[in-house]
Amino acid sequence: MTVASGLLHTARKLTEDATRVVVLSGAGMSAESGVPTFRDAQTGLWERYSPEQLATEEAFRAEPDLVWSWYLWRARMVRACEPNAGHRALGVAQHRCAERGGSLQVVTQNVDDLHERGGAEVLAHLHGSLFEYRCADCDAPAEFDPGTAEAGHMGTEEDLEKMLRTPPPICSQCAHGTLRPGIVWFGEMLPMDAFSSAQTAVEQCDLALVVGTSGLVQPAASLPYRALGSGAAVVEINPEATPLSDDATVTLRGTAAELLPELLLDSSGALS
Ligand code: APR
C-alpha cells in the first residue's frame, strides 16, 4: 500500500517539529508480528474463544481453567512473536528524542511486550499485561512464568485444546485464592496511575501518533481527542478508516511496520 506522499510529507513535518510526542497504540501495532487483532480476526480460534467472551471476571469465576488456559496460550503465542519494524522504529526514535532533549512516550492498549522488546519503554499499559499476575482473591502480585511455545507448534486449535484445562495456580500469599492474569477485563476499571499518566502525557504533547487501534474501546479512545483539545496535532496510522480518521490532523492509510520507519527514521535508520 502506498501513502500519498503529500500526506506523508505533512506528517513528517509535524513529527520533526514536535518536541513531545505520544504514541497511542492498539492491536494493529502488533498485527505484523503475528499477534491477531481483536476485531479483524474473528475466525477460527478467535471466533470460538473470543476476547469478549473470555475477558470478564464472570467468565473467570465460572470457568477458571478455560480462561486461565486462554491467557497462558496467548502469553506463549506472544513469546513466539518478534517485534516488527514499527516497534523497532519507535525504540530508536524514543532514544533519539531523549538525546535531543525531547520525549516520545508510548501508551498502549496492548497486553503484549513487543514495544519493550522492540527497544521502547512503555509509559502505560492501559489494559494490563499478559506477563503480570496477581491473586484473584487477595490481590497480591505474583511471579509466574507462562512458559514458551513449542517451536513450530503455536497458534493452532490443537495447541489450545491440549492445554485448555490447565487450572490456575494457588496464590502463595493467601493460600486459597488462585492467580489471574494482570489484564483489565471488560467491566473492570483501568489502573488509575496508568490512565492518569496517559492523560497527562496527551495533554502536554505536541503530537499524538495513533497507531493500529479501532478507537472503539473507552476510555482509551478518548485520548486522541484530549490531545486535539489541548492543541496537539494527531496523526493516525491505520490501513482502515476509524471514527478518529475525519478528526485527525493527518490520516495515513497503511500499516505500522511500513509507515512508522518512514515517518520516524531516515533511509539510514537514523531519526529524520
Ligand atoms: N498496522 C496498523 N493498523 C492495523 C494493522 C497494521 N498492520 N492491522 C490492522 N490494523 C488496525 C485495524 O484496521 C483496526 O482499526 O488495527 C485496529 C485493530 O483494532 P482492534 O482489533 O479493535 O484493537 P484495539 O483498538 O487495540 O482494541 C482495543 O479492545 O478487546 C479489547 O482490550 C482489548 O485492547 C483491546 C481493545
Side-chain angles (χ1 to χ4, degrees), residues 23 29 84-98 104 106 114-121 260 264-265 271:
V23 175
M29 179 79 226
N84 64 50
H87 293 110
R88 289 195 295 272
L90 289 176
V92 173
Q94 190 177 66
H95 286 285
R96 301 281 168 76
C97 281
L104 184 151
V106 177
L114 294 173
H115 278 303
E116 289 91 339
R117 286 201 272 137
E121 202 177 291
L260 283 170
L264 297 170
L265 309 179
L271 196 67

Side-chain angles (χ1 to χ4, degrees), residues 22-255:
V22 174
V23 175
L24 302 169
S25 70
M29 179 79 226
S30 299
E32 287 151 296
S33 294
V35 183
T37 64
F38 299 99
R39 271 152 277 271
D40 293 347
Q42 298 301 324
T43 54
L45 269 178
W46 293 79
E47 189 177 39
R48 260 184 74 195
Y49 302 108
S50 73
E52 283 82 359
Q53 217 185 334
L54 296 185
T56 66
E57 203 194 337
E58 295 76 60
F60 182 66
R61 297 273 170 211
E63 293 199 77
D65 298 3
L66 175 66
V67 174
W68 176 257
S69 307
W70 162 249
Y71 281 100
L72 207 54
W73 179 82
R74 283 181 58 195
R76 290 179 185 184
M77 178 194 64
V78 163
R79 280 196 169 164
C81 295
E82 294 298 328
N84 64 50
H87 293 110
R88 289 195 295 272
L90 289 176
V92 173
Q94 190 177 66
H95 286 285
R96 301 281 168 76
C97 281
E99 276 166 16
R100 296 194 317 195
S103 64
L104 184 151
Q105 293 177 305
V106 177
V107 172
T108 187
Q109 294 173 76
N110 297 345
V111 294
D112 64 48
D113 60 351
L114 294 173
H115 278 303
E116 289 91 339
R117 286 201 272 137
E121 202 177 291
V122 173
L123 175 73
H125 271 280
L126 295 176
H127 295 168
S129 163
L130 281 171
F131 303 101
E132 282 171 17
Y133 301 89
R134 65 175 190 273
C135 176
D137 282 0
C138 77
D139 234 27
E143 292 290 323
F144 178 77
D145 182 354
T148 48
E150 229 178 276
H153 284 279
M154 212 54 209
T156 67
E157 200 134 341
E158 208 181 301
D159 297 321
L160 183 58
E161 292 296 348
K162 269 191 227 155
M163 54 183 282
L164 260 185
R165 296 294 157 194
T166 310
I170 300 293
C171 169
S172 61
Q173 295 296 308
C174 67
H176 64 83
T178 66
L179 300 196
R180 58 160 283 177
I183 301 284
V184 180
W185 282 331
F186 287 104
E188 292 185 324
M189 295 285 287
L190 267 57
M192 261 330 258
D193 46 351
F195 191 63
S196 69
S197 35
Q199 278 183 315
T200 306
V202 291
E203 278 162 9
Q204 294 177 348
C205 75
D206 312 305
L207 172 68
L209 288 180
V210 184
V211 187
T213 172
S214 56
L216 297 175
V217 174
Q218 292 292 358
S222 68
L223 292 170
Y225 291 93
R226 199 172 268 260
L228 284 169
S230 307
V234 170
V235 172
E236 179 184 57
I237 294 181
N238 198 310
E240 307 286 336
T242 75
L244 176 70
S245 300
D246 287 341
D247 299 315
T249 317
V250 179
T251 293
L252 301 177
R253 288 268 165 269
T255 73

